[in-house]
Amino acid sequence: MKNNNFLNALNKNNDALNVPVWLLRQAGRYLPEYREVRAKYPDFFEMIKSSSVCKELTLQPLRRFPLDAAITFTDILTIPEAMGVEIKFIKGQGPVFADSVINNPKLKLNYSNYLEKLDYVFEATELIKSEIEVPLIGFSGSPWTLFVYLFYGRSPRNYELINSYIKSEPENTHAILEVLSNAIKEYIGAQIKSGADCIQIFDSWGGILGDNFNEFSLKYINDISKSLDGDIPLILYAKGNKVSNFLTNTDINCFNLDCDEDIDAYIDMSLTIQGNFDPVDFHKDNSELIDIADLIFEKYHTKPNYIFNVGSGITPDINPDKVSLFLERLRIFNSK
Ligand code: CP3
């Protein structure tokens, strides 16, 4: 590997005077080259099940921008799909499951051979690894976040239903979380075996749990973290939850901060901090963007534990030329 800045920062020892960079959802619909590939496939899963397409989509942002990490092009919903739930991505609606706990309280997941059905992810991981000179990030949704999709069969619009379900059916909820948690351990274990250099866990819906976050989400994420070989860093993206609220309840020490968090509240602790740039800011004027890049570089290039990233995924409305301008500006300084 030629460029280890990102892994060094995860290990809190990036002593080169630079700012490692990658972006949540760095591949996707804001890139015309992604839309071109996507137009050939009526079905998102059909597209990602081709390892050569997956490799191509992973490499697209690396060709455009000076990035210090790649992330395998796949989705957090691969596990429920491999367990037999049909999932479609419908324009304007996001994911739509053919079955859900709401519609079918006896929803059964089919665990037999689920890991073999995910072979396409591991094959793509190997293929990507053979072609990149930066570290590769593997990922999974958290057990709770996958449960939220299985419960609603879509992205949730109100949070009361699931919060009353977990109160009335705690045993059933924990049983499903346990199964998902074990599957995720195997899934990320296989990604690591295929070459992933670190793992990011997306707890995109942990924020809706309020005081129940530790019991229904963090506990399982901690189990997953403990199952990892100590050499493989794990980054937690706890969207909608402040890291300071749960820091004492976890051994995890790499965090992707949400947009409303403050980097400076954590950067001098023994943690790796990634985030929290608001992707909406990519709409600012070029001169403002340059000033922000300069400010970020100035503040953080001496830190051994900082990674520039966004606090929520890049959205389709963002102009990739603005992203380019910003990242090139950070890079000019990086190579000084
Ligand atoms: O470069 C990358 O980061 C690409 C890999 C990636 C995708 N999804 C591809 C994708 C990653 C890391 C994800 C994570 C993901 N998927 C999350 C966690 C991040 C977060 O924002 O909280 C979540 C909640 C999902 C679930 C999901 N997948 C949704 C809600 C959608 C629909 C719309 C959207 O883009 O958000 C997807 C589909 C999906 N996954 C697309 C992409 C590029 C768009 C599909 C299309 O082209 O139609």
Side-chain angles (χ1 to χ4, degrees):
M1 213 182 299
K2 278 200 177 153
N3 173 350
N4 251 326
N5 296 336
F6 168 69
L7 280 183
N8 289 342
L10 288 179
N11 291 317
K12 296 150 199 72
N13 60 9
N14 177 26
D15 45 23
L17 296 177
N18 62 29
V19 172
V21 172
W22 75 278
L23 302 172
L24 290 178
R25 313 293 289 266
Q26 61 192 26
R29 284 170 296 172
Y30 76 117
L31 298 179
E33 59 270 36
Y34 171 83
R35 295 195 297 271
E36 203 177 293
V37 175
R38 180 72 175 93
K40 296 184 194 146
Y41 294 87
D43 181 58
F44 181 77
F45 276 98
E46 184 193 335
M47 176 174 82
I48 64 171
K49 283 179 184 178
S50 155
S51 47
S52 61
V53 174
C54 179
K55 181 197 76 179
E56 165 59 21
L57 297 177
T58 302
L59 295 183
Q60 282 181 350
L62 299 180
R63 290 191 196 112
R64 243 183 209 266
F65 312 122
L67 295 164
D68 297 286
I71 178 163
T72 312
F73 191 89
T74 181
D75 198 76
I76 65 163
L77 302 178
T78 50
I79 291 180
E81 200 270 347
M83 291 184 174
V85 186
E86 200 187 311
I87 303 168
K88 297 269 172 240
F89 290 96
I90 297 174
K91 230 185 175 163
Q93 285 192 46
V96 178
F97 286 41
D99 210 354
S100 64
V101 175
I102 284 189
N103 286 327
N104 172 13
K106 295 205 163 69
L107 175 72
K108 282 267 169 289
L109 294 172
N110 177 7
Y111 314 124
S112 60
N113 301 330
Y114 82 91
L115 202 61
E116 281 109 275
K117 291 188 195 135
L118 291 163
D119 258 345
Y120 64 92
V121 176
F122 316 136
E123 251 173 58
T125 304
E126 269 180 41
L127 195 60
I128 296 161
K129 267 301 276 192
S130 67
E131 295 205 15
I132 55 175
E133 291 177 343
V134 291
L136 180 62
I137 304 164
F139 70 91
S140 172
S142 69
W144 170 256
T145 288
L146 297 188
F147 177 67
V148 169
Y149 282 106
L150 284 165
F151 180 84
Y152 286 99
R154 53 178 306 143
S155 303
R157 304 239 164 105
N158 70 71
Y159 310 138
E160 290 88 43
L161 271 178
I162 198 162
N163 276 306
S164 56
Y165 180 86
I166 62 175
K167 273 186 209 116
S168 61
E169 303 278 347
E171 280 169 26
N172 202 21
T173 305
H174 280 299
I176 300 173
L177 290 171
E178 189 76 40
V179 164
L180 290 171
S181 184
N182 288 332
I184 291 165
K185 286 178 199 166
E186 292 194 302
Y187 182 54
I188 61 181
Q191 291 184 54
I192 292 164
K193 248 193 180 157
S194 310
D197 297 292
C198 73
I199 295 292
Q200 178 143 332
I201 299 288
F202 289 93
D203 191 28
S204 305
W205 294 106
I208 71 181
L209 276 165
D211 291 345
N212 295 317
F213 172 66
N214 283 343
E215 180 184 346
F216 290 94
S217 190
L218 188 62
K219 169 183 181 291
Y220 293 96
I221 297 170
N222 282 340
D223 280 354
I224 291 166
S225 166
K226 285 197 189 83
S227 78
L228 281 183
D229 181 335
D231 292 341
I232 299 290
L234 180 120
I235 310 163
L236 174 58
Y237 178 45
K239 199 173 181 174
N241 264 308
K242 286 241 180 331
V243 170
S244 53
N245 289 342
F246 64 83
L247 192 54
T248 53
N249 298 321
T250 185
D251 290 333
I252 295 170
N253 55 46
C254 301
F255 297 101
N256 196 128
L257 297 186
D258 206 340
C259 300
D260 61 358
E261 285 256 37
D262 176 12
I263 296 169
D264 297 335
Y266 305 101
I267 198 71
D268 292 324
M269 298 167 92
S270 177
L271 304 171
T272 296
I273 294 306
Q274 172 183 289
N276 59 346
F277 188 74
D278 190 334
V280 169
D281 287 350
F282 282 126
H283 290 300
K284 289 189 184 230
D285 291 345
N286 290 355
S287 64
E288 267 183 283
L289 278 174
I290 285 175
D291 288 347
I292 297 170
D294 290 359
L295 189 72
I296 288 174
F297 183 83
E298 216 32 67
K299 265 183 102 168
Y300 300 116
H301 74 286
T302 56
K303 301 289 181 190
N305 57 336
Y306 173 75
I307 296 158
F308 177 82
N309 204 326
V310 279
S312 65
I314 301 269
T315 45
D317 56 304
I318 286 170
N319 175 354
D321 293 340
K322 294 272 190 178
V323 176
S324 204
L325 174 107
F326 185 87
L327 297 185
E328 291 294 344
R329 182 74 184 183
L330 269 181
R331 181 50 48 106
I332 290 169
F333 286 109
N334 278 353
S335 54
K336 268 187 184 162

